[in-house]
Amino acid sequence: MKTMVNLSIIAAATLISAHAFAASFSDFDTDSDGYISQKEAKVSNTLTQLFDRLDADGDGKISQKEFKALDSEQ
């Protein structure tokens, strides 16, 4: 039980820090193609860690809609 609580706290802290560091989607979408690629995500350790979770459709990139999911998880 203690491990589960600790994991929940870590997950929440990661999401909060991910939201706090991101001024906007366009900060990461450096080629302006409407998606954040894995290469573009590498500028942020937090975004890199969250990449697979945010990539809800599994297409290997994060759309603006997927990125906005950070807001709804807070």
Side-chain angles (χ1 to χ4, degrees):
M1 182 68 161
K2 185 176 180 180
T3 301
M4 184 66 123
V5 171
N6 287 339
L7 290 174
S8 295
I9 291 169
I10 291 168
T14 300
L15 288 172
I16 290 168
S17 65
H19 181 68
F21 81 92
S24 72
F25 178 85
S26 62
D27 291 338
F28 299 104
D29 180 19
T30 57
D31 63 4
S32 300
D33 68 349
Y35 297 96
I36 300 171
S37 67
Q38 289 182 342
K39 182 179 177 181
E40 290 168 320
K42 287 183 181 181
V43 299
S44 164
N45 287 335
T46 304
L47 188 56
T48 299
Q49 291 173 357
L50 293 173
F51 193 92
D52 290 335
R53 183 172 179 192
L54 291 174
D55 181 18
D57 62 6
D59 65 355
K61 53 192 176 187
I62 300 171
S63 68
Q64 198 161 16
K65 181 180 178 182
E66 291 169 328
F67 187 80
K68 287 181 180 181
L70 284 173
D71 290 332
S72 65
E73 293 191 34
Q74 303 218 4

